[in-house]
Amino acid sequence: MDANSSPPRAGGRGGRTSGTAGAVWLRGPRTYRDSTLTSDRIIAEAIVLLDGEGAGRLTMRRLAEHLGVGPTTLYWHVKTKDDVIDLAVDAIFDEVSLPEPSSRWDDDVRALVLQWRATMLRHPWAAGLLGRPLLGPNVLERTEFLQATLRRAGFEGPVLAAATHGLANYVIGSAATQSTWQHLATPELQQSADAHVRAHADLYPTLAVTHHLGEHDWDDLFRRGLEFMLAGLGSPA
Amino acid sequence: MDANSSPPRAGGRGGRTSGTAGAVWLRGPRTYRDSTLTSDRIIAEAIVLLDGEGAGRLTMRRLAEHLGVGPTTLYWHVKTKDDVIDLAVDAIFDEVSLPEPSSRWDDDVRALVLQWRATMLRHPWAAGLLGRPLLGPNVLERTEFLQATLRRAGFEGPVLAAATHGLANYVIGSAATQSTWQHLATPELQQSADAHVRAHADLYPTLAVTHHLGEHDWDDLFRRGLEFMLAGLGSPA
DNA sequence: CCACTAATAGAACGTTGGTCTATGCGCAGA
DNA sequence: TCTGCGCATAGACCAACGTTCTATTAGTGG
């Protein structure tokens, strides 16, 4: 807030630290104005902001304010806002822990994919940020795990590529759909959407009966779809 | 461009059309300054702009300019820019023609899903616009068709819902991934991404061997994944 | 000819992402 | 202890954006 008023903060550690030998160890790493702004801290705060208020309300100024820092200062640590977003997206994938390989490859896939999905749902803004290349180390590491698991299961060549893509795209699509409905659409919108479909039951007879937009058991839905995919993979292995 | 200079355009049809009976038929529908701006024309031009330059370069001002119209005029026909986008997204789904129901339900699904995908690839900006509810009539009609087809095939209850969602989410995820790579990532980025993965072959051993990011046979990949899903659906029907 | 409505344009506001430039802090060496 | 020097921060500013408010014009019905 008013972190940039007149009295300058105390820098470093207490008082005078002239060229005394050995003082380095007491001083610790380079500190500046005692709050070292790093790109990591920026990304972390960006994620907090995104989690709390959604992608639309992430602005460089608000982000700087939350960090107690001038708006333009961020650009010293980060090139553009797009960089912030890309880094934030990759950062959340750190939460997807890689399962310990078991004796059943499909169990490993299940475990990974469920965590992947859970992470995307924990940060629903991530779904709306697809459409940008996912090349961060965390994403690549998870993709590597998925593909390596499938490869150990015996898939190869085009089949392996298709299996990897199929599973990944299913997760991405599912998470995007669910995030959209759960977090970006207000309950009123969900209800009126439901009402709208039922009001036009002549146009959407099947949807009107079966498609209760707001009342899905999303977990069950996802798991069933995943089992379809795994079953389809099972035969031509 | 300079459509708003001093000389006002000629309105209506030639000269005086006072209260002469029967003149309505000669006059045709209400015309104003001989170029009737409608929300349909706005959406159509928005799609042209989106196709040509991507989502990032669609602004109300540029859209108005392309229509030879003042920037604020659009707001008479359209409430907000989000409306334009929502309408544009739904409009492109008009290109997804509903297949004639055949004797094999899976062929119908294949036909629909392939067209769905093709349309999304034809308008690659659409993928980045997921994360907003798809509730337009065109989208709903296609979803209705998909679900109705599966229902006729014997699916019911949670299985039906899972099958619909599974297929739709697979299409969405696949199209998003491919659009991202083909259109939003420059060839240089693709190449350097490839190089990056191979340079870190220690971290991504499987990807380094198999994952040629820029050189996928996307059609083949998608079809194989779709067949996995359909095969998985086939068994527990 | 006049009032009325539909449609257009313009000025302007607040906010955004980003750049350019100046300022201050902390450290190393003399 | 003083003096540079580079890392880090802030401020003024810019062009562009979405949108609103208000004025103006074209066409219609009386």
Side-chain angles (χ1 to χ4, degrees):
Chain A
M1 296 310 177
D2 59 290
N4 43 3
S5 298
S6 17
R9 316 294 219 7
R13 303 289 164 88
R16 29 174 50 257
T17 51
S18 45
T20 322
V24 208
W25 312 113
L26 304 176
R27 247 183 286 123
R30 192 35 137 49
T31 60
Y32 179 71
R33 289 180 186 181
D34 97 347
S35 86
T36 341
L37 189 59
T38 63
S39 81
D40 281 355
R41 272 194 56 210
I42 294 177
I43 301 307
E45 191 64 34
I47 292 178
V48 171
L49 220 78
L50 286 164
D51 285 346
E53 323 197 27
R57 305 208 41 176
L58 174 69
T59 71
M60 295 301 267
R61 289 173 218 269
R62 282 166 55 77
L63 180 53
E65 198 179 338
H66 276 240
L67 287 162
V69 132
T72 65
T73 302
L74 302 178
Y75 288 93
W76 176 264
H77 303 272
V78 151
K79 210 176 249 168
T80 76
K81 184 186 179 181
D82 273 332
D83 278 16
V84 174
I85 295 178
D86 285 338
L87 290 170
V89 170
D90 191 68
I92 64 170
F93 279 89
D94 173 65
E95 299 172 16
V96 182
S97 67
L98 301 180
E100 202 65 30
S102 73
S103 57
R104 295 184 53 99
W105 65 269
D106 52 334
D107 280 345
D108 298 346
V109 168
R110 259 181 282 261
L112 177 76
V113 151
L114 285 173
Q115 284 221 49
W116 187 322
R117 168 175 177 265
T119 297
M120 290 194 69
L121 295 179
R122 224 176 291 127
H123 307 282
W125 44 270
L129 267 37
L130 303 179
R132 58 182 62 222
L134 298 180
L135 285 176
N138 286 331
V139 171
L140 286 183
E141 195 181 357
R142 273 72 189 170
T143 311
E144 162 71 23
F145 180 92
L146 176 60
Q147 186 139 348
T149 302
L150 290 168
R151 200 178 183 206
R152 265 191 299 119
F155 296 97
E156 274 185 52
V159 183
L160 172 59
T164 310
H165 272 79
L167 286 165
N169 288 332
Y170 173 64
V171 176
I172 290 172
S174 298
T177 301
Q178 181 177 349
S179 288
T180 298
W181 278 105
Q182 281 197 288
H183 300 274
L184 301 178
T186 63
E188 306 89 59
L189 180 60
Q190 291 184 20
Q191 287 182 8
S192 70
D194 246 352
H196 177 259
V197 168
R198 269 193 284 270
H200 297 75
D202 51 329
L203 294 173
Y204 319 119
T206 314
L207 293 184
V209 175
T210 63
H211 210 66
H212 307 294
L213 289 169
E215 303 163 13
H216 285 306
D217 182 344
W218 293 102
D219 288 1
D220 178 66
L221 225 46
F222 179 80
R223 282 176 174 279
R224 287 178 188 269
L226 177 58
E227 293 308 322
F228 287 148
M229 194 111 229
L230 287 172
L233 285 175
S235 28
Chain B
M1 295 311 178
D2 59 294
N4 44 3
S5 298
S6 19
R9 318 289 222 9
R13 303 289 165 87
R16 27 169 55 256
T17 49
S18 45
T20 322
V24 208
W25 312 113
L26 305 176
R27 247 183 287 123
R30 198 23 144 55
T31 61
Y32 180 70
R33 290 180 185 183
D34 94 348
S35 87
T36 341
L37 189 59
T38 64
S39 80
D40 281 355
R41 272 194 54 209
I42 294 177
I43 302 306
E45 191 63 33
I47 293 177
V48 170
L49 220 75
L50 287 164
D51 285 347
E53 322 197 27
R57 305 206 43 175
L58 173 70
T59 71
M60 295 302 267
R61 289 172 218 267
R62 281 167 55 77
L63 179 53
E65 198 179 339
H66 276 241
L67 287 161
V69 132
T72 65
T73 302
L74 301 178
Y75 288 90
W76 177 264
H77 304 271
V78 151
K79 209 176 252 169
T80 75
K81 184 187 178 181
D82 272 330
D83 278 16
V84 174
I85 295 177
D86 284 338
L87 289 171
V89 170
D90 191 68
I92 63 169
F93 278 89
D94 173 66
E95 300 171 15
V96 182
S97 66
L98 302 180
E100 202 65 31
S102 73
S103 56
R104 296 183 54 99
W105 65 269
D106 52 333
D107 280 344
D108 298 345
V109 168
R110 260 182 281 261
L112 176 76
V113 152
L114 285 174
Q115 283 222 46
W116 188 322
R117 167 175 178 265
T119 297
M120 291 194 68
L121 295 179
R122 225 175 290 126
H123 307 282
W125 44 270
L129 267 35
L130 302 179
R132 55 182 66 222
L134 299 180
L135 285 176
N138 286 331
V139 170
L140 286 183
E141 195 181 357
R142 272 73 189 170
T143 311
E144 163 71 24
F145 181 91
L146 176 60
Q147 186 138 347
T149 301
L150 290 168
R151 200 179 183 205
R152 265 191 298 118
F155 295 98
E156 276 186 50
V159 183
L160 172 59
T164 310
H165 271 78
L167 287 164
N169 288 333
Y170 173 64
V171 177
I172 290 172
S174 298
T177 300
Q178 181 176 351
S179 287
T180 299
W181 278 105
Q182 281 196 290
H183 300 274
L184 301 180
T186 63
E188 305 92 57
L189 180 61
Q190 291 184 21
Q191 288 182 7
S192 70
D194 245 351
H196 177 260
V197 168
R198 269 193 284 271
H200 296 75
D202 50 332
L203 295 173
Y204 320 120
T206 315
L207 293 184
V209 175
T210 62
H211 209 65
H212 308 295
L213 289 168
E215 303 165 12
H216 285 307
D217 183 344
W218 293 102
D219 287 1
D220 179 66
L221 225 46
F222 179 80
R223 282 178 175 278
R224 286 178 189 269
L226 177 58
E227 294 307 323
F228 287 148
M229 192 111 228
L230 288 173
L233 284 174
S235 28

